[in-house]
Amino acid sequence: MEKGKLGVMVETKFQQNPVQVVQAKLKELEVGFKSWLAKQSLPVEAAVVTLTSGAQGAVIGAIMGNITSDISSTIPTPPPPANLSPQAMASLQQAQALGGGPLIQARNFAVMTGVNAGISCVMKRVRGKEDVQSSMVAAFGSGALFSLVSGMGGANHATNAITSGLFFALIQGGIFKIGEKFSKPQVEDVNYLRTRGMLYNLGLQNYEKNFKKGLLTDVHSAFAHR
């Protein structure tokens, strides 16, 4: 009897999906890491979050850099003319910052993701909540640092950093608001639902439909109940 039970247990163990086992182990490690991180001081938590997010961003940037370099290698880029205006040169520098090789893209994405995650972590710990203000502050910091590191814009690095930070903040704020709008569940009024149910149970289906549309008139049902 024991042998049969053991055989069933071994067979069940071998029938487990290895992908699900790996996912469960990764989830367990993630939960343990987050619980350990929550017990640390603010500087330690911010440093760890910044480094881990920056490493993830570097990997993504390297992949994107490989893709863009493969595409650009097939299309030769002519050198810029000597009489190019400062505005056009600034735009060209921005394009070069967004379309560099794997190492450049790895650096840029590491700065963006690392700084954003680090500032978000500090804001959440200090303010006790994660809202659109915290998200925009983090985006401003990541945009400003990205501008300084990548060399976007012209000679005035301070102005370019502020402009890029504001642009990143506006984009992030809009994305946060859109996500917040779609993530909120719609809660219907209890009295409204009761009234609709009462009208339907009384056989006043047209009243119920009009009530749903915001209308309280039903000529057909009124004549039918006279």
Side-chain angles (χ1 to χ4, degrees), residues 169-187:
L170 290 175
I171 295 298
Q172 185 68 24
I175 293 173
F176 188 93
K177 280 301 201 182
I178 292 173
E180 190 179 47
K181 182 179 180 180
F182 283 101
S183 62
K184 280 185 178 181
Q186 294 183 353
V187 181

Side-chain angles (χ1 to χ4, degrees), residues 16-91:
Q16 289 181 343
N17 191 342
V19 177
Q20 293 179 352
V21 173
V22 173
Q23 289 178 345
K25 289 293 183 182
L26 292 176
K27 188 67 177 178
E28 184 179 349
L29 290 174
E30 182 183 358
V31 172
F33 176 74
K34 287 183 177 181
S35 62
W36 171 83
L37 193 62
K39 299 175 184 177
Q40 306 305 312
S41 61
L42 177 58
V44 173
E45 182 182 5
V48 172
V49 169
T50 301
L51 290 175
T52 53
S53 299
Q56 294 174 1
V59 173
I60 296 173
I63 296 173
M64 295 294 295
N66 278 315
I67 296 173
T68 54
S69 63
D70 291 339
I71 296 173
S72 61
S73 62
T74 60
I75 305 173
T77 303
N83 58 349
L84 199 64
S85 64
Q87 293 81 7
M89 182 62 71
S91 301

Side-chain angles (χ1 to χ4, degrees), residues 5-220:
K5 289 183 178 179
L6 183 60
V8 172
M9 290 176 61
V10 173
E11 185 180 357
T12 304
K13 184 177 180 180
F14 279 108
Q15 285 179 352
Q16 289 181 343
N17 191 342
V19 177
Q20 293 179 352
V21 173
V22 173
Q23 289 178 345
K25 289 293 183 182
L26 292 176
K27 188 67 177 178
E28 184 179 349
L29 290 174
E30 182 183 358
V31 172
F33 176 74
K34 287 183 177 181
S35 62
W36 171 83
L37 193 62
K39 299 175 184 177
Q40 306 305 312
S41 61
L42 177 58
V44 173
E45 182 182 5
V48 172
V49 169
T50 301
L51 290 175
T52 53
S53 299
Q56 294 174 1
V59 173
I60 296 173
I63 296 173
M64 295 294 295
N66 278 315
I67 296 173
T68 54
S69 63
D70 291 339
I71 296 173
S72 61
S73 62
T74 60
I75 305 173
T77 303
N83 58 349
L84 199 64
S85 64
Q87 293 81 7
M89 182 62 71
S91 301
L92 180 61
Q93 290 177 353
Q94 291 178 0
Q96 291 175 347
L98 295 174
L103 293 178
I104 295 176
Q105 290 295 337
R107 178 200 64 189
N108 294 344
F109 274 80
V111 169
M112 283 192 294
T113 56
V115 173
N116 193 300
I119 297 177
S120 296
C121 174
V122 173
M123 294 293 291
K124 185 177 180 181
R125 180 75 79 92
V126 172
R127 302 181 72 233
K129 59 181 179 179
E130 188 175 1
D131 54 7
V132 65
Q133 286 84 3
S134 299
S135 180
M136 291 181 70
V137 169
F140 178 85
S142 64
L145 263 294
F146 170 76
S147 175
L148 294 175
V149 170
S150 63
M152 290 177 60
N156 196 340
H157 297 295
T159 303
N160 295 325
I162 294 173
T163 304
S164 299
L166 290 174
F167 176 75
F168 275 57
L170 290 175
I171 295 298
Q172 185 68 24
I175 293 173
F176 188 93
K177 280 301 201 182
I178 292 173
E180 190 179 47
K181 182 179 180 180
F182 283 101
S183 62
K184 280 185 178 181
Q186 294 183 353
V187 181
E188 293 192 75
D189 189 2
V190 177
N191 295 325
Y192 171 75
L193 295 175
R194 287 177 180 173
T195 306
R196 281 182 55 193
M198 180 187 67
L199 291 172
Y200 184 82
N201 292 330
L202 291 174
L204 303 174
Q205 283 83 0
N206 289 330
Y207 268 118
E208 187 268 336
K209 293 178 181 178
N210 289 334
F211 181 69
K212 185 177 180 180
K213 298 176 183 177
L215 303 173
L216 295 178
T217 57
D218 187 357
V219 180
H220 299 290

